[in-house]
Amino acid sequence: MCGACTVHLDGEAIRSCSLPVSAVGNRRVTTIEGLSENGDHPVQQAWIEHDVPQCGYCQAGQIMAAAAFLETNPNPTQEEVAQAMSGNFCRCGTYTRINRAVRTAAKSS
């Protein structure tokens, strides 16, 4: 429900907490650790640039959701980013920084 467990299943953002392992089969699962070997994915770099994390609990899920979203919409508007990221909750309320970081990542991709 919160999105903190978001991973990619064959490139699509899914919630790992609600997906049984038996449903994965031979599909490719990518976690935050697999997004980039050196932490240099454009979304990860934008997160640093905009100092997005506060407590950090939701950040892996936020980054994975943003990365999958940008694969399907590489030039989003502010409203499209807000809509796409609305399923990932941030208890600290860093939504403005998240939105800016996603748009920065889109420009650098």
Side-chain angles (χ1 to χ4, degrees), residues 48-76:
I48 293 166
E49 179 182 335
H50 290 279
D51 197 25
V52 173
Q54 191 161 318
C55 81
Y57 180 79
C58 70
Q59 297 310 299
Q62 297 277 4
I63 289 169
M64 295 303 285
F69 167 65
L70 291 175
E71 286 294 320
T72 62
N73 187 347
N75 190 24

Side-chain angles (χ1 to χ4, degrees), residues 4-64:
C5 69
T6 301
V7 297
H8 295 174
L9 185 61
D10 287 337
E12 181 182 341
I14 58 108
R15 307 295 192 259
S16 65
C17 70
S18 61
L19 182 74
V21 172
S22 61
V24 174
N26 291 328
R27 296 163 73 187
R28 189 182 81 238
V29 176
T30 305
T31 64
I32 187 73
E33 293 84 4
L35 192 58
S36 73
E37 190 171 315
N38 300 315
D40 58 358
H41 187 280
V43 175
Q44 292 170 312
Q45 292 301 303
W47 242 245
I48 293 166
E49 179 182 335
H50 290 279
D51 197 25
V52 173
Q54 191 161 318
C55 81
Y57 180 79
C58 70
Q59 297 310 299
Q62 297 277 4
I63 289 169
M64 295 303 285

Side-chain angles (χ1 to χ4, degrees), residues 95-108:
Y95 296 111
T96 302
R97 293 189 304 225
I98 290 168
N99 193 297
R100 280 190 219 130
V102 174
R103 287 184 288 129
T104 294
K107 291 175 190 167
S108 66

